[in-house]
């Protein structure tokens, strides 16, 4: 038996997160991560950081003619201390993300969450839609493990996630809109246990529904956040915040959000 599952380097893991590997290499690393759950969790955290940074700073992204040569030069020239350099950059990126998230929440959160009109465009990233978009970007493209509990065990999924949220969760049925439940998973929302439900249509197009505790206990009408082609309809009702995210036409996503809102009205938060 070969030792292939013990040959994944730190650089390969970063390349996996950055999407720089071929499909066979990705499959090899995914198989290795299944055998190393601690590293798999670390990789998921890197993916979450990368997705959040991409979402928050997408409007500043631009390319330059010299980018290709710079990247090519960097790949061709061996670097001493590559691992420590990556670690330093990772810590810097994480610090920047924490700073940006805290600043945006403090400056723009109250203005965005104040009830004003039936539908508003979120001009700045907000905590709930930002986390919803990060979760969508990480898990909607996952092939082998998009969810923790599948649709075939829906009663257990509702009970498990509802218990962690302290919420009588009723999983929405979106079949009238062409979407069937894939399953769900436990995710962090505002530093607490949250729930993510995933749906897909007949073409494999996916969308996610995120639920998390809202400690401010406010109520708000529908709002929308858009970043890099990913759109999120979100609202807060009592103690729970809801966010529906996808890369589908806005009209369809709003219908999904309307239907989720209607069905969630039958649930209750403690």
């Amino acid at each position: 038996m070969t030792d292939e599952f013990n040959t994944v380097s730190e650089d390969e893991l970063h390349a996996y997160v950055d999407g720089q590997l071929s499909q066979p290499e990705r499959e090899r690393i995914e198989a290795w991560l299944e055998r190393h759950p601690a590293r798999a969790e670390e990789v998921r955290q890197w993916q979450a950081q990368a997705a959040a940074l991409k979402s928050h700073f997408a409007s500043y992204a631009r390319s330059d003619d010299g980018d290709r040569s710079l990247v090519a030069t960097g790949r061709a020239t061996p670097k001493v201390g590559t691992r420590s350099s990556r670690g330093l950059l990772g810590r810097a990126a994480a610090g920047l993300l924490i700073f940006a998230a805290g600043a945006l929440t403090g400056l723009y959160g109250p203005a965005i969450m104040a009830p004003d009109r039936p539908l508003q465009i979120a001009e700045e990233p907000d905590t709930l839609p930002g986390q919803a978009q990060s979760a969508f970007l990480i898990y909607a493209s996952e092939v082998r493990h998009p969810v923790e509990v599948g649709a075939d065990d829906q009663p257990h999924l509702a009970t498990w996630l509802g218990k962690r949220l302290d919420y009588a969760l009723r999983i929405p049925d979106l079949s009238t809109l062409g979407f069937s439940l894939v399953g769900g998973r436990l995710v962090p929302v505002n530093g607490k246990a949250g729930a993510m439900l995933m749906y897909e249509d007949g073409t494999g197009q996916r969308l996610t529904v995120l639920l998390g505790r809202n400690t401010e206990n406010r109520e708000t009408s529908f709002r929308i956040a858009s970043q890099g082609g990913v759109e999120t309809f979100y609202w807060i009702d009592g103690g729970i915040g809801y966010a529906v995210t996808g890369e589908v036409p806005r009209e369809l996503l709003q219908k999904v959000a309307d239907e989720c809102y209607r069905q969630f009205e039958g649930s209750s938060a403690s």
Side-chain angles (χ1 to χ4, degrees):
M1 191 171 181
T2 65
D3 195 37
E4 61 175 338
F5 292 107
N6 297 316
T7 59
V8 175
S9 68
E10 191 86 358
D11 286 344
E12 286 178 309
L13 291 178
H14 282 285
Y16 172 79
V17 172
D18 294 338
Q20 298 177 351
L21 299 180
S22 65
Q23 187 60 31
E25 290 175 320
R26 288 184 62 84
E27 291 176 355
R28 178 177 68 88
I29 289 179
E30 286 170 356
W32 184 85
L33 289 173
E34 286 186 358
R35 299 191 177 197
H36 299 78
R39 296 311 305 271
E41 177 59 29
E42 186 177 4
V43 166
R44 281 193 288 270
Q45 292 176 5
W46 292 348
Q47 289 173 322
Q49 290 178 358
L53 283 169
K54 180 180 179 181
S55 174
H56 281 299
F57 299 105
S59 60
Y60 296 94
R62 61 178 183 272
S63 60
D64 185 87
D65 292 339
D67 289 348
R68 291 181 179 274
S69 60
L70 179 63
V71 173
T73 302
R75 288 178 176 173
T77 305
K79 296 284 193 302
V80 178
T82 301
R83 180 171 180 173
S84 61
S85 298
R86 283 189 178 274
L88 179 59
L89 288 173
R91 288 193 293 271
L96 178 60
L97 173 60
I98 293 170
F99 171 78
L104 290 169
T105 300
L107 289 175
Y108 299 107
I112 293 175
M113 300 313 299
D116 194 3
R117 52 183 175 174
L119 177 63
Q120 293 187 1
I121 304 297
E123 296 181 355
E124 299 291 343
D126 183 47
T127 300
L128 181 60
Q131 292 176 102
Q133 290 171 355
S134 294
F136 173 83
L137 290 170
I138 292 170
Y139 296 114
S141 61
E142 181 66 37
V143 177
R144 300 180 68 179
H145 305 291
V147 297
E148 290 181 278
V149 178
D152 56 344
D153 201 1
Q154 184 170 327
H156 167 64
L157 177 64
T159 301
W160 171 51
L161 294 179
K163 184 176 180 181
R164 295 304 306 271
L165 275 168
D166 192 19
Y167 173 73
L169 176 61
R170 297 182 182 180
I171 297 177
D173 180 358
L174 303 179
S175 57
T176 58
L177 296 173
F179 287 90
S180 59
L181 181 70
V182 176
R185 63 168 57 244
L186 190 69
V187 294
V189 178
N190 296 328
K192 298 181 180 180
M196 187 200 75
L197 305 173
M198 183 180 294
Y199 296 81
E200 69 179 9
D201 64 12
T203 68
Q205 182 71 51
R206 289 174 172 175
L207 54 82
T208 57
V209 180
L210 189 78
L211 296 85
R213 276 282 165 185
N214 169 44
T215 56
E216 294 184 357
N217 194 34
R218 295 181 180 178
E219 294 188 4
T220 182
S221 53
F222 274 177
R223 301 176 188 266
I224 186 169
S226 181
Q227 191 68 255
V230 179
E231 295 194 312
T232 296
F233 276 89
Y234 66 104
W235 68 98
I236 296 176
D237 187 3
I240 300 291
Y242 307 82
V244 179
T245 304
E247 291 180 294
V248 299
R250 180 175 295 185
E251 295 77 10
L252 176 57
L253 192 66
Q254 184 165 9
K255 290 180 180 179
V256 172
D258 289 339
E259 185 61 24
C260 286
Y261 177 81
R262 185 185 68 79
Q263 296 189 40
F264 280 137
E265 280 190 308
S267 300
S268 62
S270 301

